[in-house]
C-alpha cells in the first residue's frame, strides 16, 4: 500500500503479472519494469521497498561482526 509511485492500477498490473506479493518481492528491477504501467523509476522504487532497508541492515550487521573479529 505504501510503495512510492504505486497506486491501484499499478498494483493490479503487478498482481496480474506476478500472482503474489512474494513473487513481486523476488522479481528483479528488469522483471518489474516489463509490467504494464511500470517504468524504470517505479520498478526501482518497488525493488528498493522490498530490499533496500533489509540489505542495509544486513550489511551493517556484517560490518559489525567483521570489526569484532
Amino acid at each position: 500500500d505504501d510503495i512510492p509511485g504505486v497506486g491501484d492500477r499499478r498494483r493490479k498490473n503487478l498482481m496480474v503479472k506476478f500472482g503474489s506479493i512474494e513473487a513481486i518481492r523476488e522479481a528483479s528491477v528488469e522483471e518489474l519494469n516489463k509490467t504494464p504501467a511500470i517504468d524504470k523509476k517505479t520498478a526501482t522504487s518497488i525493488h528498493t521497498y522490498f530490499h533496500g532497508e533489509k540489505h542495509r541492515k544486513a550489511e551493517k550487521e556484517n560490518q559489525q561482526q567483521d570489526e569484532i573479529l
Side-chain angles (χ1 to χ4, degrees), residues 1 5-15:
D1 273 346
V6 179
D8 291 338
R9 187 180 94 212
R10 286 178 168 166
R11 191 175 303 115
K12 181 179 178 183
N13 288 345
L14 287 163
M15 289 303 292

Side-chain angles (χ1 to χ4, degrees), residues 43-68:
T44 301
S45 178
I46 294 165
H47 193 268
T48 299
Y49 176 83
F50 286 114
H51 300 284
E53 186 62 29
K54 179 174 72 172
H55 286 293
R56 285 191 290 274
K57 285 181 180 180
E59 287 176 9
K60 186 176 180 178
E61 288 173 5
N62 287 337
Q63 287 175 346
Q64 288 173 344
Q65 287 177 351
D66 288 344
E67 290 172 4
I68 292 171

